[in-house]
Amino acid sequence: EIVLTQSPATLSLSPGERATLSCRASQSVSSYLAWYQQKPGQAPRLLIYDASNRATGIPARFSGSGSGTDFTLTISSLEPEDFAVYYCQQRSNWPPVTFGPGTKVDIK
Amino acid sequence: EVQLVETGGGLIQPGGSLRLSCAASGFTVSSNYMSWVRQAPGKGLEWVSVIYSGGSTYYADSVKGRFTISRDNSKNTLYLQMNSLRAEDTAVYYCARENYGDYDYWGQGTLVTVSS
């Protein structure tokens, strides 16, 4: 099973700042990596699929990059609604898919 | 508009059984891959099971032999039959539409609490 690690566990930033979140896989997942946003009491929402493709309706301030084992989610300028937990997820040779432990982006 | 609505959660004693339902609208369950994903309180996401459009099913090792995923095409509904429940099965259970391994639509979740 492919293990995903995310860093940092918590990112404390102010609105308007740039957020950079990292996801590392225990072995190559090619570009088969997605990012989700989850707010308290809500289901996750797909942001990015195949490492760099924005899902339908996702604002351009969200971008993804990377391939192989190292991936990054960047939020170019944080809006108040962006403070949430972000999970990466791989689908290389699924099932099973696996998720990372999450990065919480909170208000500084 | 695509919607997924889960029902069937609740408090159940260890060893008990529960069946979760996920009613879909705006698309056809049988034409898609459909999954269950769970989230223990305060924890991350864990994939549980998937049913493919062709009917093949797969399970996480943690639930294999205890949980069964199925669907009713006439009702456009997905199910998860959970038997021999354990305390560690306590979680919010989400159904999700799978798009080649990514989840593009999720339900609101239903809480299952396994406790005596």
Side-chain angles (χ1 to χ4, degrees), chain B residues 43-111:
Chain B
K43 301 298 183 182
L45 301 164
E46 179 188 18
W47 171 78
V48 173
S49 181
V50 62
I51 184 167
Y52 288 171
S53 51
S56 298
T57 59
Y58 298 89
Y59 300 91
D61 287 344
S62 57
V63 307
K64 201 172 294 181
R66 300 188 297 124
F67 290 11
T68 303
I69 191 171
S70 63
R71 65 190 181 210
D72 184 329
N73 297 344
S74 66
K75 296 182 178 179
N76 208 32
T77 297
L78 178 73
Y79 300 101
L80 186 68
Q81 177 68 43
M82 304 186 296
N83 299 331
S84 303
L85 282 161
R86 306 166 180 168
E88 54 264 37
D89 296 318
T90 294
V92 173
Y93 285 74
Y94 297 100
C95 66
R97 189 177 81 170
E98 188 176 311
N99 186 12
Y100 294 104
D102 302 324
Y103 303 103
D104 57 358
Y105 288 97
W106 298 66
Q108 85 288 350
T110 187
L111 176 62

Side-chain angles (χ1 to χ4, degrees), chain A residues 12-53:
Chain A
S12 297
L13 295 169
S14 300
E17 289 193 295
R18 184 184 187 90
T20 304
L21 288 67
S22 175
C23 177
R24 178 164 289 178
S26 59
Q27 63 190 76
S28 177
V29 298
S30 186
S31 294
Y32 301 133
L33 190 104
W35 291 93
Y36 298 82
Q37 176 194 66
Q38 188 179 33
K39 297 178 183 179
Q42 296 185 16
R45 177 174 71 145
L46 178 64
L47 300 175
I48 301 287
Y49 65 94
D50 290 347
S52 61
N53 296 290

